[in-house]
Amino acid sequence: MIDRNLLRLKVRDALPRSVTGPTLPPFPICRVDPDAIERYVEYAVLKKYRCAGRVKDGSWDLRAKPLAESPKYRLLRGYHEGEIDAAELTYERLREHGYPEREAEFYADYGYGAYLDELFESIRERGVEPAVGDGGTERTHDRYDQVAINVDRDGALVFNSCGFHRLVIAQLVGLEAIPVRINAVHERWWRARSESPTPVDDHPELTAVGRLPIRWRDVLGVARD
């Protein structure tokens, strides 16, 4: 089955900028201090794949909220600090803290406490690793599921709903740097750097790592041998 989001990004990336207007490669990867990401926007504000690589105008960045005040953030922090135990991580508790219904069902059935314990341990010991999927069973979105951030009109970094657990746990355990992908940047910030051939690379908080090319077999849904 064709992945329409990836196909749209693949085609747009191949077109000249005279046709697409100002844009970035769909998945530029950078490293950043997770504590530099202090605000977030809801998923509905900027879609995590549809807006990938976009130079976006408008007031979307003014709708960003403090990440530390997010109910989900407070729940993870409370668990990390021992204020909430695993038995309290029920479906009802997760729903109260803003988890979508299907996500709350999945975590409650899986055992959210065990999941968080594994993730905290993994990130504490190995950091946040790029999401590459599992060798022989790699799914399309395992490869592109990186922690996603946006750059607002003033250059501040704004989290964009993809990779929430990884980002918050990285902050809670005190990691110095994590890999992220740039989702969208505000047009005002971009225009102010129009003379630079690589505006994102010039951002003081970001260290460019490279870009994640979109593979045709992922677009076409071709299984890995």
Side-chain angles (χ1 to χ4, degrees):
M1 179 180 294
I2 293 176
D3 187 306
R4 295 185 181 278
N5 284 324
L6 291 180
L7 177 60
R8 186 181 299 111
L9 293 172
K10 183 79 170 175
V11 171
R12 192 191 74 206
D13 193 36
L15 293 173
R17 298 299 173 254
S18 59
V19 174
T20 64
T23 187
L24 294 87
F27 296 108
I29 306 297
C30 299
R31 292 188 68 80
V32 63
D33 180 345
D35 288 336
I37 306 167
E38 298 180 344
R39 296 182 300 144
Y40 75 103
V41 290
E42 301 286 355
Y43 172 76
V45 175
L46 292 176
K47 301 294 186 181
K48 67 178 184 179
Y49 291 130
R50 186 166 297 177
C51 293
R54 292 288 190 184
V55 176
K56 296 283 291 183
D57 61 0
S59 61
W60 58 265
D61 57 328
L62 302 180
R63 298 164 65 181
K65 306 172 185 177
L67 182 63
E69 295 178 11
S70 159
K72 294 175 71 174
Y73 182 100
R74 293 201 303 269
L75 185 71
L76 292 183
R77 183 178 59 196
Y79 185 75
H80 175 62
E81 296 176 352
E83 298 172 359
I84 300 171
D85 62 35
E88 297 177 90
L89 298 176
T90 62
Y91 168 82
E92 291 76 17
R93 186 71 175 270
L94 298 184
R95 290 289 286 147
E96 288 173 3
H97 282 77
Y99 289 70
E101 183 175 356
R102 291 181 62 183
E103 187 178 1
E105 288 178 351
F106 171 80
Y107 286 133
D109 291 343
Y110 182 89
Y112 197 32
Y115 171 80
L116 290 178
D117 290 343
E118 293 172 4
L119 197 55
F120 268 104
E121 181 179 2
S122 172
I123 290 176
R124 188 179 291 110
E125 292 183 355
R126 295 186 292 276
V128 174
E129 300 172 329
V132 296
D134 179 18
T137 59
E138 185 181 70
R139 296 174 301 155
T140 294
H141 289 294
D142 286 335
R143 174 175 168 80
Y144 306 101
D145 183 29
Q146 314 292 330
V147 175
I149 63 171
N150 310 297
V151 180
D152 77 2
R153 66 186 63 204
D154 298 316
L157 305 180
V158 181
F159 175 63
N160 195 82
S161 79
C162 183
F164 180 85
H165 286 95
R166 283 165 281 170
L167 171 60
V168 172
I169 292 175
Q171 292 182 347
L172 292 175
V173 303
L175 290 191
E176 294 182 356
I178 61 172
V180 298
R181 71 171 176 86
I182 309 303
N183 189 55
V185 302
H186 198 282
E187 184 179 33
R188 185 179 300 181
W189 182 86
W190 184 266
R191 296 289 186 191
R193 286 149 188 83
S194 59
E195 299 301 318
S196 171
T198 55
V200 171
D201 294 354
D202 297 338
H203 193 288
E205 301 285 355
L206 300 172
T207 301
V209 173
R211 58 173 295 188
L212 192 63
I214 299 173
R215 304 179 302 199
W216 275 113
R217 68 179 176 84
D218 293 334
V219 173
L220 301 175
V222 177
R224 183 170 182 169
D225 295 333

